[in-house]
Structure formats: C-alpha cells, structure tokens
Amino acid sequence: MTDSGGAREESSVAGTSRRDAVLESALGVFARYGYRRTSMEEVARTARISRPGLYFLFESKESLFRAAVTQALERDLAAAERLLADQGTPLRERVLGAFDRWAGRYVGPLSNDVSGVIEQNPDLLGAIVVTAPDRFEALVTKAVEDGPFPETATSVVRTLISVSVGLKHQVETRQEYRDRLAVAIDLLVG
Amino acid sequence: MTDSGGAREESSVAGTSRRDAVLESALGVFARYGYRRTSMEEVARTARISRPGLYFLFESKESLFRAAVTQALERDLAAAERLLADQGTPLRERVLGAFDRWAGRYVGPLSNDVSGVIEQNPDLLGAIVVTAPDRFEALVTKAVEDGPFPETATSVVRTLISVSVGLKHQVETRQEYRDRLAVAIDLLVG
DNA sequence: ACTATACAAACTAGGCGAAACTTGTAAAGT
DNA sequence: ACTTTACAAGTTTCGCCTAGTTTGTATAGT
C-alpha cells in the first residue's frame, strides 16, 4: 500500500497530471475488456508508457483499477453537480443532463466488471462504489427540492433512479436512454 | 413436432389436466436449477411420472420448457387482467397488484434462464417472450386510460415498467419491490 | 395412458500435463 | 522520471482423454 500519497508536482499542465492521463486511458481499457481480461501490458501500451513505468505509477493492477474507477466516479459526480447548479436552464433539463452524465459512464459497460470485482473483494474498492451513488442521489434530490413540489423530492428521485437502472437494461442506445428518461422526468418533476 | 395438439379429454378435474400439473412442477424445477442443469429425469421424478412417460407427454426437453414458460406467462397475464378488471378497488391498487403478479413470476429467478435460451435459440420460444410483455403493457395501459389522465397513460405505463425492471435489480425482497413500486405508482398514476 | 427396463448416440465433466501468458520486481541506462 | 531488458512465481489456457450423464427411442407389459 505505497501507491504514492505524498506531494508530487511538476511537468504537464496545471490540474492534469500524467497520472490522470494514464488513469483515463486505463479506464477505457478496463471498460472494454473487463478487469480480468485486461493485462497491464495492454494498459501500458494504450497509455504509451512502459509496463515497469506503469508499476512506478501504481503499486499493483488492483490499485490502478481502484484509482481509475474512483477518478471516473469523482469526475462524473462533479460534472453532475455543476450541471445541476446552473440556474439558467430549467430544472427538467438540468436533471436530465445530470442523469445522462452519471448513468452514461457509471452504469455503462464498466458496471458489470465493477460489480464483479466488488463481489470478490468486498472490502477493496467497496467504499466509493457504495457512497458515490448515494452522493449522486443526494445531489439530485437537493436540486429537485428547489422545484415546485419539494416534499415529494425524495420519492421522485428514488423513482427516477429506478427508471434509470431499468432503462439501462431495456434500451440499446444512449439516445434512447435519454429520450425515455426525459419522458419520465417530465412526468415526475412538475 | 407431434407434441399433441389434438382433442384429449378425460380423467382428473374439469380444466386442469395431468399435462398442466406436469408443466407446473417442471417450471418449478427449471426455475430452480436453470434449463441446462435440469434433467428430464429430475422433472419426471418431481412430477411423479416416469421419464418415458414424460416423453409421451412432450416431444423433447425444449418443447417441455417452451410449454412450461408459455403456460406460466399466459396464466400470469390472465391473473393480471383479472386484477385490473376489478372495478371495486382503486386504480392504484389494481395496477400494483398486476405488476406484483407479473414481475414476481416473470422477472423472477426464471428470467435469467429464459433469456439465456432465447439468446441461443432466437427462433424457438421467441414469439411468446416478446409478445407477452407487450400484452402486459397493453393491459395496464388500458386500465390506466380509465384513470384521471388518459392522455399520459402510455408514457406513465412505460415509465412504470422501467421502474419495475430497475427495482428488480435494486431490491432484495419482493416486499421491498412492492413498497417502492407503490410509491412510484402513487406519483405517476393520479 | 401410461410404467419398467434397456440402449445407442451425443454431450458434459473432470483430470492432467504442457505451453503460453501475466504479474510484480530487479537492474542498468538515459 | 522514466525506458529497455530480463526473470521468477503464479495463473490461465489448451488439448486430450476417460468416465459419467443425459437425451431420445424402443420394446414389452399392464
């Protein structure tokens, strides 16, 4: 458990480090092939880095996976928060945008493998995967409470989340997901 | 394709034949162990019939499975229809009852295997599994159209079906499924 | 309208060793 | 702050085989 938690700063642009770039491409590979079937070799090749170099950045395959998932979750959560906060657009559209961003990535092809790893390592990677959906729910609920029916916000958002989960199993394309979720939002968010 | 389609009548009580009883217990076994891992031997034993006798009733394992699934679907559809037609109880409760009956069986442990067989034999067993959900949707939509907002009935029911699918993946118990679906129905069905 | 017994053909499971691949680390280099 | 090359230990995959199970049918019986 060394993984680097200390201060590391130099090279590249302000907020985005080399590390972050590797994390991003690694997530793409994990999402495409699943955790078990992606090798560090493949991740390294995709990130245009050597495999030992990858081990220099991340202690192990597991810690790399954990970091990649965590980063994606945090980023999508932040994006959802930003979309929801924009008072310029109507509530319905803000909520739709937040779900689209959140579910598009989090419930995507990645989720199968995330849940697979969770089942086998309940302790590892566990915290973020449980808390992130809760945080998303809280965010959306807060936004809906500023709408016309604050008292039903909790139920409405819970129901919308169920719709979102269901749609992921029913539809083929992201566009269809958006369209049908928009209908549900129109019905549920006054 | 012999399977018996002609006129067969005698023994046992009016509507329920020996065949039906075998079908019912066969469904239980299939639901418990999945299609591949249940043997005709096991089905025969559970139905208290000899294995050759089972082959006398059903041409093959596949046709038995198809018949069992079809029977269950038709029965649950009929039950949903009956529940929805009862003008004595409020619309909300009728809709909840219909979903509970429908999703409880159809989306239950059986569904994994049904979809598995569908994937491998798209033609066989295909028709009923596609049409039955459509028929269920039509049934509920018709009932909701008699409610206060007939013009949104189609969207409302589609959304409720998504909620139902989502809940199946979110909740652990049938009771929790009922409770949360009831909340959604209250929000969506005026 | 079945039961009991039996059988061929097909499929499935389990074992097992060899080959291939993967992880994680080391060492030397730039 | 990495790269290249190299390597041990572990895991996965593969091919092949054998043994066991399962399907579907037949035959004789009640």
Side-chain angles (χ1 to χ4, degrees):
Chain A
M1 319 271 176
T2 323
D3 203 302
S4 78
R8 184 196 341 87
E9 66 227 284
E10 46 239 314
S11 79
S12 74
V13 198
T16 176
S17 62
R18 173 103 193 220
R19 214 184 122 95
D20 286 353
V22 171
L23 241 27
E24 179 144 11
S25 75
L27 186 72
V29 182
F30 280 129
R32 203 160 185 72
Y33 301 109
Y35 178 79
R36 272 184 68 255
R37 274 168 299 186
T38 75
S39 63
M40 293 297 264
E41 174 70 38
E42 176 74 14
V43 172
R45 203 184 311 131
T46 307
R48 318 261 239 131
I49 199 177
S50 71
R51 196 171 62 88
L54 193 51
Y55 278 98
F56 175 83
L57 254 41
F58 301 95
E59 196 189 30
S60 65
K61 187 181 177 183
E62 277 194 353
S63 85
L64 166 62
F65 183 66
R66 230 182 316 150
V69 171
T70 302
Q71 187 204 237
L73 253 28
E74 293 293 350
R75 194 182 48 180
D76 291 343
L77 226 31
E81 186 161 26
R82 184 172 45 72
L83 284 166
L84 287 168
D86 176 11
Q87 299 292 330
T89 58
L91 180 60
R92 287 155 43 248
E93 285 173 35
R94 279 182 279 150
V95 171
L96 178 59
F99 267 97
D100 188 37
R101 186 66 197 258
W102 176 254
R105 283 198 166 272
Y106 179 60
V107 192
L110 181 67
S111 84
N112 285 335
D113 214 57
V114 172
S115 43
V117 173
I118 293 168
E119 276 163 34
Q120 285 171 5
N121 300 38
D123 49 325
L124 219 69
L125 178 66
I128 189 77
V129 176
V130 173
T131 60
D134 286 353
R135 284 166 62 196
F136 176 75
E137 180 173 341
L139 245 39
V140 180
T141 302
K142 190 157 69 75
V144 173
E145 275 170 350
D146 291 342
F149 305 111
E151 68 282 359
T152 62
T154 301
S155 298
V156 163
V157 173
R158 281 190 148 196
T159 300
L160 279 177
I161 288 171
S162 295
V163 173
S164 172
V165 173
L167 283 176
K168 273 286 163 187
H169 294 263
Q170 291 180 292
V171 304
E172 295 291 315
T173 69
R174 187 163 184 171
Q175 185 58 47
E176 202 183 341
Y177 169 83
R178 263 188 83 98
D179 292 346
R180 297 208 34 195
L181 193 67
V183 171
I185 290 171
D186 281 349
L187 289 169
L188 286 162
V189 179
Chain B
M1 315 275 178
T2 322
D3 205 301
S4 79
R8 184 194 343 86
E9 64 226 283
E10 46 239 317
S11 78
S12 75
V13 198
T16 176
S17 62
R18 172 101 192 219
R19 213 183 123 95
D20 286 352
V22 171
L23 241 28
E24 179 143 10
S25 76
L27 186 72
V29 183
F30 280 129
R32 202 159 185 72
Y33 301 110
Y35 177 78
R36 272 184 68 257
R37 275 169 297 183
T38 75
S39 62
M40 293 296 265
E41 173 71 38
E42 176 74 15
V43 172
R45 202 184 311 130
T46 307
R48 316 260 240 131
I49 200 178
S50 71
R51 196 170 64 86
L54 193 51
Y55 277 98
F56 174 84
L57 255 41
F58 301 95
E59 196 188 30
S60 66
K61 186 181 176 184
E62 278 193 354
S63 84
L64 166 63
F65 183 67
R66 232 183 315 150
V69 171
T70 303
Q71 186 203 238
L73 253 29
E74 293 293 351
R75 195 182 48 179
D76 291 343
L77 226 32
E81 187 161 25
R82 185 171 45 72
L83 285 166
L84 288 168
D86 176 12
Q87 299 293 328
T89 58
L91 180 60
R92 286 155 45 249
E93 285 172 35
R94 279 183 279 152
V95 172
L96 179 58
F99 267 97
D100 187 36
R101 185 66 196 257
W102 176 254
R105 281 198 168 271
Y106 178 60
V107 192
L110 182 67
S111 85
N112 285 333
D113 214 57
V114 172
S115 43
V117 173
I118 292 168
E119 276 163 34
Q120 285 170 4
N121 300 37
D123 49 325
L124 219 67
L125 178 68
I128 188 77
V129 175
V130 173
T131 60
D134 287 353
R135 284 166 62 197
F136 177 74
E137 181 173 341
L139 243 39
V140 180
T141 302
K142 190 158 68 75
V144 172
E145 276 169 351
D146 289 342
F149 306 112
E151 68 282 359
T152 62
T154 301
S155 298
V156 163
V157 173
R158 282 191 148 199
T159 300
L160 278 178
I161 289 170
S162 295
V163 173
S164 172
V165 173
L167 283 177
K168 272 287 163 188
H169 294 264
Q170 291 180 293
V171 304
E172 295 291 314
T173 68
R174 187 163 184 171
Q175 185 58 47
E176 202 183 341
Y177 169 83
R178 264 188 81 97
D179 292 346
R180 296 206 37 193
L181 193 67
V183 171
I185 291 171
D186 280 349
L187 290 170
L188 286 161
V189 179

